[in-house]
Amino acid sequence: MDLKKLEVWFVTGSQHLYGEETLKQVAEHSQTIAKALNEAKQIPVTVVFKPTVKSSEEIYQTCQEANTKPNCIGIIAWMHTFSPAKMWIGGLRILQKPLLHLHTQFNRDIPWSSIDMDFMNLNQSAHGDREFGFMVSRMRLNRKVVTGHWQDPNVLERINAWTRAAAGWHDWQGAKFARFGDNMRYVAVTEGDKVEAELKFGYSVNTYGIGDLVDVVKSVSDAEVDTLVKEYGEKYNLAENLKKGSAQHNSLRDAARIELGLRHFLEAGSFKGFTDTFEDLHGMVQLPGIAAQRLMGSGYGFAGEGDWKTSALVRAMKVMGSGLPGGNSFMEDYTYHFEPNNNLVLGSHMLEICESIADGTANCEIHPLGIGGKADPVRLVFNSAAGPAINASIVDMGNRFRMLVNEVVAVKPKESLPKLPVARVLWKPYPDMATGCSAWIYAGGAHHTGYSQNLTSEHMRDFADMAGIEFALIGKNTDIHQFRNELRWNEAYYQLNK
Ligand code: MN
């Protein structure tokens, strides 16, 4: 995904009071900043300069244009001078795109020896931005406030995170997700209100009978299968028993056929992700393993057992992380290691971990699967790189959606795990195992997550604000007492804020 195709508009607020000369300087400075942001390596989207807005009408018109411009994903607003904020009511009331308030100043330093009232008149964002901030807060609108000089790398990083969140949010609008079969029977957290999700998140989720997919899988040509099997052989360390002429080579061909069928189905319906469930595979030869892993690798959202919320989240995370080193995957907290002073979580799934988080070349293997009653599925087996990561989950609390994020640090496995036939990650949750896992459970976080090597809690916080949903963070500074109180306070807040 090329994020440069997406636009963020740089909008400077002012008023007519200052006269032509000052407004000319305001426009020049704004252009300089917009150009610098556009050219900054840290900012992945196109930043477009917009003419200074000086009246209610101009503000309204700019917001209206931003709403209807398909590739405009958000607005960065800055008040170089003073822009009386009642002028912003009309525009902000209709603005449907994410908002970042850049609280900056054109001059980095005060020109001590030459500063006069002309300089003060021009460089008054210190109070002009406060007037704007009041109105956004008065209107109870979510936005991100970034403070600092516009050339400061830290400021650029904060803007970077927001633009990535906005790209993920933009991608969700009108997105379609396919469920093959329904939910894993009796499972709670993967359920949820799909109508409310479409209202809140902008994406739709619909179910397709597994038979419809089976028909597409059957229609895949042998020539296509030949080509994909060749690609498997070139890209992965293929197990001996899967190679041509070996006993289970036909299973590899079946797996390739499933991948191609899924790909055709998703392309034909313009889907951005999917779910399946091992309890609804009638007519399928194998549970999709390598297919799900590679489709995630191509940017599709995925989650198992009908978990559409996690599938959509994985997709959004892939868009947000576009172009960054590291990957994003569907994940499940699987097994614990409770060694004193070295507590670890082993994350995995029964098959479907995205190849984008593989450390080195993956092995392509085939092993039996204890559940589902189908033929042995082919899968990619690999370790994942060490380093900082996050786990993110969206749950339906009945009266609202909650996004929960746990900052973790992945570690290299000390042992080789030779008998584990699935891709895996080992991590330590912050602030520590006991607090991190207890907090996750108090918050009702799912066992399924989106696992990311290249996003931080900042991206997810910005994203949750754009969606207008609750955000709960378990990080380095989480105190379990405070966290439990925060959940209680949020409970009251979301009852009152209806
Ligand atoms: Mn699962």
Side-chain angles (χ1 to χ4, degrees):
M1 284 156 270
D2 180 11
L3 300 184
K4 269 285 169 198
K5 288 179 186 155
L6 303 173
E7 290 179 2
V8 160
W9 289 5
F10 190 84
V11 179
T12 306
S14 188
Q15 60 180 328
H16 285 294
L17 199 69
Y18 302 108
E20 278 308 304
E21 190 48 41
T22 302
L23 286 174
K24 212 179 115 206
Q25 276 178 294
V26 167
E28 279 170 17
H29 291 169
S30 301
Q31 253 166 316
T32 303
I33 295 177
K35 188 164 177 285
L37 296 182
N38 185 48
E39 289 168 0
K41 275 202 309 287
Q42 294 99 317
I43 295 179
V45 302
T46 299
V47 179
V48 178
F49 164 80
K50 289 284 156 184
T52 313
V53 287
K54 305 168 293 296
S55 66
S56 306
E57 291 75 16
E58 287 172 0
I59 292 166
Y60 185 88
Q61 200 191 329
T62 302
C63 292
Q64 197 175 38
E65 281 168 17
N67 285 345
T68 53
K69 183 83 193 287
N71 65 338
C72 171
I73 64 167
I75 282 184
I76 298 177
W78 171 53
M79 309 302 125
H80 190 349
T81 51
F82 197 82
S83 181
K86 283 198 277 184
M87 297 194 314
W88 283 86
I89 292 175
L92 289 176
R93 199 160 52 182
I94 61 155
L95 183 65
Q96 287 160 7
K97 301 279 168 99
L99 176 66
L100 182 144
H101 180 187
L102 179 58
H103 183 41
T104 191
Q105 177 171 286
F106 187 72
N107 270 60
R108 194 193 71 177
D109 298 341
I110 291 175
W112 303 106
S113 60
S114 64
I115 186 168
D116 56 12
M117 276 321 284
D118 285 345
F119 181 92
M120 299 270 276
N121 258 334
L122 185 60
N123 295 281
Q124 45 177 307
S125 54
H127 62 281
D129 272 330
R130 281 175 162 76
E131 165 76 356
F132 178 74
F134 163 73
M135 184 50 71
V136 186
S137 289
R138 171 67 180 80
M139 293 175 74
R140 272 76 172 172
L141 298 176
N142 284 344
R143 83 291 208 186
K144 183 175 194 174
V145 179
V146 176
T147 299
H149 192 251
W150 50 280
Q151 289 171 315
D152 179 347
N154 179 52
V155 166
L156 295 174
E157 276 307 319
R158 304 286 74 75
I159 298 173
N160 170 25
W162 175 84
T163 60
R164 289 181 172 278
W169 178 245
H170 177 76
D171 183 74
W172 262 13
Q173 306 314 306
K176 295 196 283 181
F177 292 88
R179 299 174 90 204
F180 298 109
D182 195 70
N183 201 58
M184 178 178 166
R185 290 173 203 128
Y186 304 104
V187 174
V189 78
T190 49
E191 295 277 11
D193 186 339
K194 296 196 277 294
V195 174
E196 185 63 18
E198 187 161 351
L199 284 166
K200 205 80 192 159
F201 299 137
Y203 65 72
S204 66
V205 182
N206 287 291
T207 298
Y208 294 83
I210 194 76
D212 295 341
L213 174 60
V214 169
D215 285 346
V216 181
V217 171
K218 280 182 180 159
S219 74
V220 170
S221 74
D222 287 341
E224 278 182 284
V225 173
D226 291 344
T227 308
L228 187 54
V229 164
K230 191 161 166 271
E231 187 184 327
Y232 289 171
E234 287 163 1
K235 198 168 173 198
Y236 311 112
N237 303 317
L238 206 54
E240 284 304 323
N241 56 349
L242 289 175
K243 287 183 176 163
K244 202 165 182 177
S246 297
Q248 291 184 280
H249 182 67
N250 269 336
S251 295
L252 188 67
R253 294 187 62 85
D254 288 338
R257 199 177 293 279
I258 291 169
E259 178 185 331
L260 289 160
L262 266 166
R263 223 175 256 281
H264 293 332
F265 193 104
L266 297 172
E267 280 166 10
S270 300
F271 295 106
K272 290 179 172 174
F274 69 105
T275 68
D276 59 19
T277 167
F278 63 91
E279 287 175 328
D280 192 350
L281 291 174
H282 189 80
M284 292 283 280
V285 181
Q286 305 169 11
L287 173 65
I290 189 172
Q293 295 179 289
R294 284 172 44 89
L295 284 160
M296 272 190 275
S298 306
Y300 287 100
F302 172 82
E305 293 107 40
D307 186 353
W308 51 274
K309 293 190 298 298
T310 304
S311 177
L313 182 61
V314 167
R315 162 68 184 194
M317 291 169 83
K318 284 179 172 294
V319 173
M320 288 190 246
S322 290
L324 297 175
N328 291 274
S329 177
F330 170 52
M331 189 59 67
E332 182 168 296
D333 297 76
Y334 226 105
T335 300
Y336 287 152
H337 182 65
F338 274 135
E339 179 190 351
N341 301 318
N342 186 33
N343 285 188
L344 295 166
V345 180
L346 177 72
S348 188
H349 204 252
M350 54 193 183
L351 296 173
E352 313 93 333
I353 299 301
C354 178
E355 61 175 349
S356 67
I357 65 165
D359 190 13
T361 304
N363 297 331
C364 182
E365 302 176 9
I366 184 164
H367 302 277
L369 189 67
I371 50 177
K374 295 288 165 181
D376 299 355
V378 175
R379 79 288 304 273
L380 298 173
V381 180
F382 52 82
N383 288 319
S384 187
I390 56 166
N391 272 307
S393 165
I394 292 180
V395 290
D396 184 342
M397 294 301 291
N399 62 343
R400 66 186 186 279
F401 291 103
R402 164 181 288 160
M403 181 186 281
L404 183 63
V405 171
N406 187 191
E407 296 172 335
V408 304
V409 60
V411 297
K412 258 197 173 343
K414 272 198 293 192
E415 314 283 337
S416 67
L417 304 97
K419 294 204 163 170
L420 188 67
V422 285
R424 78 297 296 241
V425 192
L426 278 166
W427 68 74
K428 289 172 188 278
Y430 281 114
D432 57 73
M433 184 88 161
T435 309
C437 296
S438 294
W440 188 274
I441 286 172
Y442 277 124
H447 54 279
H448 285 169
T449 59
Y451 175 85
S452 180
Q453 296 173 322
N454 55 25
L455 301 174
T456 65
S457 57
E458 182 180 12
H459 295 95
M460 305 316 289
R461 158 111 226 181
D462 290 352
F463 187 79
D465 278 344
M466 288 168 195
I469 63 170
E470 181 185 358
F471 180 79
L473 172 65
I474 307 165
K476 287 173 188 155
N477 300 317
T478 295
D479 169 85
I480 197 72
H481 174 72
Q482 282 299 322
F483 187 78
R484 292 181 68 185
N485 277 338
E486 181 184 328
L487 295 178
R488 289 195 180 114
W489 296 330
N490 284 356
E491 199 61 45
Y493 169 82
Y494 282 95
Q495 292 295 340
L496 294 168
N497 185 29
K498 275 182 179 158

